[in-house]
Amino acid sequence: MNRRNRILRQSSGVRELVKETRLHPSDFILPVFITEGENKKEEISSMPDFYRYSLDLAVKELQECYKLGIRCALLFVKVPDALKDNEGKEAVNEQGLMHRSIRAIKKALPDLVVMTDVALDPYSSYGHDGIVEGDQIVNDKTVEVLARMSVSHARAGADFVAPSDMMDGRIAAIREALEKEGFHRTGIMSYAAKYASCFYGPFRDALDSAPGFGDKKTYQMDPSNRHEALKEVLMDVNEGADIIMVKPAHAYLDVIRETKNSVHLPVSAYHVSGEYSMIKAAAKAGYLNEEQAMMEVLTSIKRAGADLIATYFAKAAAQLLTRTK
Ligand code: PBG
């Protein structure tokens, strides 16, 4: 034997030396669900230990996470039914919860990178990501609203807009609108390869945003397709995206790797609500160890090629990573 592979695994010191993938709190993007009101912290029943916060408490939570080394938040708002319509009026309301949240969070934490979800579903009376006509989700009219919505988020102070709608041509339209309005420093994190996944179920509970009819298969991608993901990714690169996202993450590690090998932009992956809840449920049932499962999955997502990971485990993982041994 002239090669004993176990030499490099013999002790924790040696293993630490040759480790290829290391997680750091600044890898994480923390999704934040914000609701109207004050002093509210509501647990989402299908997402154990994850909460919807009123803006005052969301700011406090983000301050804590910032101290743990988390540098990026991705904002979502829960919109009251009375404000939902089929045009996205509330989505562009500069006094709306999203816009107030951006301003308050940037004021409290100027160095936190604030990203905002751009899609119509939380604002839509139909629960769809775009404007509905008959049984169709219409593309080009939706793109116009998404561009206006992005500019309004930029004006409120968002560092990045994150379009999650999967309409065609929205990255180019958003970039053009931002340029026209003078927002030359606002980035676009494109949900470029977003699949029609059952793993978004708990998120739709959290924001009360499930589609009222049909499903999202005419705009989100078929989970069977890999080439199509690259087509989407490369188009968004050409249209001017700054960061490319693959979503979900755990079930799509192959797509993350192909994306990483195909672009020269930072790649992010969204470890989505259902992927979080699965681990929580299995741990609660005693089937596996929660901390170990969390770290193994997050490490796998990074190893697959994700530079950034949006995850509901961001705080717990950051706590673990910063704990003194
Ligand atoms: C909105 C949006 C969704 C998610 C992020 N942005 C839901 C959907 O597309 O139905 C899912 C996030 C998660 O499940 O954690 N377009």
Side-chain angles (χ1 to χ4, degrees):
M1 247 194 275
N2 67 356
R3 166 90 44 218
R4 288 187 179 272
N5 292 339
R6 291 180 56 194
I7 287 172
L8 296 182
R9 300 178 202 136
Q10 65 183 294
S11 66
S12 64
V14 173
R15 289 193 295 273
E16 199 57 40
L17 277 183
V18 300
K19 198 182 278 301
E20 296 178 39
T21 307
R22 291 170 209 274
L23 289 170
H24 188 272
S26 62
D27 297 333
F28 303 133
I29 298 173
L30 174 68
V32 185
F33 298 151
I34 305 171
T35 189
E36 287 287 2
E38 257 174 65
N39 202 25
K40 276 199 200 153
K41 178 179 178 180
E42 305 167 347
E43 191 171 21
I44 298 143
S45 59
S46 51
M47 299 179 72
D49 301 321
F50 204 80
Y51 302 88
R52 259 188 317 256
Y53 294 101
S54 52
L55 180 52
D56 53 336
L57 296 192
V59 168
K60 282 204 182 126
E61 177 67 9
L62 283 169
Q63 283 167 328
E64 263 181 50
C65 290
Y66 192 86
K67 282 196 198 121
L68 293 168
I70 292 172
R71 290 293 176 263
C72 184
L74 177 57
L75 310 187
F76 298 89
V77 290
K78 183 170 188 291
V79 178
D81 279 344
L83 297 178
K84 296 185 184 183
D85 60 23
N86 188 30
E87 302 154 51
K89 225 182 290 134
E90 184 60 16
V92 298
N93 173 8
E94 303 211 352
Q95 298 314 317
L97 182 57
M98 176 59 96
H99 301 76
R100 280 183 274 130
S101 300
I102 300 166
R103 288 191 288 266
I105 292 166
K106 282 306 287 185
K107 189 166 172 213
L109 289 162
D111 292 330
L112 181 76
V113 178
V114 170
M115 298 184 168
T116 57
D117 188 68
V118 170
L120 294 186
D121 48 332
Y123 309 90
S124 159
S125 37
Y126 292 103
H128 273 291
D129 289 34
I131 293 170
V132 175
E133 286 180 3
D135 61 357
Q136 296 293 309
I137 318 305
V138 295
N139 196 89
D140 299 10
K141 279 188 195 167
T142 301
V143 168
E144 267 173 48
V145 182
L146 298 175
R148 276 197 284 132
M149 186 177 177
S150 299
V151 168
S152 73
H153 290 182
R155 189 170 292 124
D159 297 293
F160 280 77
V161 292
S164 67
D165 53 285
M166 290 297 281
M167 298 298 123
D168 290 326
R170 88 275 208 224
I171 300 301
I174 291 171
R175 176 61 80 202
E176 195 188 321
L178 290 171
E179 284 294 323
K180 209 162 109 202
E181 299 289 328
F183 293 106
H184 306 304
R185 292 184 358 187
T186 309
I188 304 175
M189 178 171 76
S190 169
Y191 289 65
K194 176 170 177 178
Y195 288 88
S197 170
C198 75
F199 292 109
Y200 308 150
F203 171 96
R204 294 175 187 169
D205 294 341
L207 295 188
D208 183 24
S209 63
F213 70 88
D215 52 41
K216 299 192 175 186
K217 290 180 185 169
T218 68
Y219 43 108
Q220 299 179 349
M221 288 172 45
D222 182 338
S224 316
N225 296 356
R226 187 166 55 92
H227 293 300
E228 193 185 1
L230 288 182
K231 178 177 76 177
E232 288 283 359
V233 163
L234 296 177
M235 278 184 73
D236 286 4
V237 173
N238 284 334
E239 288 183 28
D242 301 285
I243 301 176
I244 288 295
M245 181 185 270
V246 174
K247 177 184 178 186
H250 191 176
Y252 296 82
L253 297 175
D254 56 329
V255 180
I256 297 173
R257 170 46 58 190
E258 288 227 40
T259 299
K260 184 63 186 168
N261 289 348
S262 312
V263 304
H264 299 284
L265 293 180
V267 172
S268 63
Y270 201 140
H271 184 240
V272 300
S273 56
E275 296 180 310
Y276 166 87
S277 300
M278 257 189 330
I279 293 177
K280 282 288 185 182
K284 209 166 243 173
Y287 296 159
L288 45 76
N289 177 289
E290 182 176 330
E291 275 188 0
Q292 289 169 358
M294 165 179 84
M295 294 315 264
E296 186 171 333
V297 168
L298 295 176
T299 302
S300 302
I301 295 169
K302 186 164 181 184
R303 191 195 63 230
D307 302 292
L308 296 168
I309 307 171
T311 173
Y312 303 96
F313 280 125
K315 187 181 186 187
Q319 275 168 334
L320 223 165
L321 290 167
T322 51
R323 197 186 291 165
T324 43
K325 300 210 175 80

